[in-house]
């Protein structure tokens, strides 16, 4: 399976940051993995133009579940598709915790993304206390079942496993912890959609960096990564991409 490496810029990036996309274009021309950059909404259209002629696709960090309507401040999946986005992250833990997004609302957003022709990157992950209680696998597989709509298939969905305690903290789970959770997600996907569940990419995210990327990407059922902090600098992000092949 071709690995998928996604950079999530979060609320970082002004026009000058588009230079990172230019740099990335030059540095990744021989990469075999699929590369996606998710800048803030304001840069999506320009980022799409800058990435033209390269293998870098542009994605968004969120979308609304409805196509149109009285939702002040929100952006629909259709609007994102119109300005060139091909992917959208839904249910990132920062949105689940800051905006009380639930599995149900995440599934509705993913469904809207699919209807607009976008690939959804559905995020799941346990908290530190849930892991301490031995509930990581139970929590994560439940999130997968509830957050993935029936429209989810390998051509329009990736799952990102991001332990909440690993995001932006410098902490990473052990190889066997990642292996166990990814295996459980794979099993859940196959139960859910049948054989196509084997082709849905499962990304790891949380403090991925050049120094740990190769070992994480070599774990079974790790089909790529979702990278926050280390995606902001083209040189770091490129090293991670190189580790993905
Ligand atoms: P991090 O963030 O790589 O900075 O830990 C990952 C994410 O939030 O997607």
């Amino acid at each position: 399976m071709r690995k998928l490496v996604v950079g999530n810029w979060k609320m970082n990036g002004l026009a000058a940051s588009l230079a990172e996309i230019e740099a990335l274009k030059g540095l990744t021309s021989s990469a075999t993995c699929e590369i996606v950059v998710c800048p803030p909404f304001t840069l999506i259209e320009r980022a799409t133009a800058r990435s033209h002629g390269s293998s870098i696709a542009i994605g968004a960090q969120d979308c609304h579940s409805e196509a149109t309507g009285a939702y002040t401040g929100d952006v629909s999946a259709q609007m994102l598709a119109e300005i060139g986005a091909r992917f959208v992250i839904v249910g990132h833990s920062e949105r689940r915790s800051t905006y009380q997004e639930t599995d149900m609302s995440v599934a509705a957003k993913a469904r809207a993304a699919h209807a607009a022709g976008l690939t959804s990157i559905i995020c799941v992950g346990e908290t530190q206390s849930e892991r301490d209680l031995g509930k990581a696998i139970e929590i994560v597989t439940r999130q997968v079942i509830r957050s993935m709509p029936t429209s989810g298939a390998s051509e329009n969905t990736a799952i990102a496993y991001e332990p909440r305690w690993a995001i932006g903290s410098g902490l990473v789970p052990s190889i066997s912890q990642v292996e166990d959770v990814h295996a459980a997600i794979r099993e859940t996907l196959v139960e859910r959609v049948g054989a196509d569940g084997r082709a849905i990419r499962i990304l790891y995210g949380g403090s991925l960096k050049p120094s740990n990327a190769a070992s994480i990407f070599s774990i079974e059922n790790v089909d790529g990564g979702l990278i926050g902090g280390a995606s902001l600098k083209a040189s770091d992000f490129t090293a991670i991409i190189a580790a993905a092949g």
Side-chain angles (χ1 to χ4, degrees):
M1 198 185 308
R2 203 170 154 220
K3 284 201 173 18
L4 173 64
V5 179
V6 183
N8 171 13
W9 284 9
K10 309 194 179 183
M11 199 174 73
N12 297 291
L14 295 169
S17 315
L18 293 168
E20 295 297 321
I21 303 216
E22 295 286 350
L24 208 57
K25 254 168 99 167
L27 293 165
T28 58
S29 52
S30 60
T32 54
C33 65
E34 204 173 340
I35 304 163
V36 180
V37 175
C38 301
F41 285 137
T42 50
L43 293 180
I44 289 175
E45 193 161 14
R46 281 174 285 172
T48 301
R50 295 284 187 109
S51 68
H52 205 73
S54 76
S55 56
I56 302 165
I58 302 301
Q61 300 169 17
D62 184 40
C63 67
H64 196 274
S65 54
E66 297 294 329
T68 55
Y71 302 103
T72 303
D74 279 313
V75 175
S76 74
Q78 219 172 18
M79 292 168 182
L80 297 171
E82 191 186 52
I83 57 168
R86 292 188 25 226
F87 289 77
V88 61
I89 298 168
V90 291
H92 189 281
S93 76
E94 284 151 16
R95 297 207 61 89
R96 287 180 186 259
S97 63
T98 312
Y99 302 103
Q100 289 78 47
E101 291 193 5
T102 62
D103 290 332
M104 223 172 95
S105 66
V106 173
K109 288 177 176 204
R111 194 177 305 117
H114 301 158
L118 300 179
T119 294
S120 60
I121 300 164
I122 302 172
C123 302
V124 295
E126 82 286 0
T127 62
Q128 180 72 66
S129 59
E130 287 164 345
R131 172 156 291 276
D132 293 344
L133 288 168
K135 293 190 161 182
I137 288 183
E138 177 192 331
I139 297 283
V140 167
T141 52
R142 190 166 64 212
Q143 287 174 342
V144 170
I145 292 167
R146 293 183 177 172
S147 306
M148 192 169 96
T150 49
S151 54
S154 61
E155 84 264 7
N156 64 14
T157 300
I159 303 292
Y161 168 54
E162 298 202 301
R164 291 195 188 194
W165 48 274
I167 295 176
S169 63
L171 300 170
V172 283
S174 68
I175 300 287
S176 71
Q177 286 172 330
V178 175
E179 196 168 47
D180 289 352
V181 176
H182 279 239
I185 294 174
R186 177 69 66 214
E187 203 175 305
T188 304
L189 291 172
V190 172
E191 274 165 22
R192 193 68 205 285
V193 301
D196 187 47
R198 290 189 206 293
I200 295 179
R201 286 180 289 195
I202 307 173
L203 317 182
Y204 169 80
S207 298
L208 250 178
K209 41 186 183 265
S211 59
N212 59 21
S215 62
I216 291 175
F217 288 152
S218 67
I219 302 171
E220 203 179 345
N221 290 309
V222 174
D223 310 308
L226 179 54
I227 297 105
S231 73
L232 294 172
K233 256 182 61 197
S235 56
D236 283 354
F237 195 43
T238 305
I240 295 172
I241 289 165

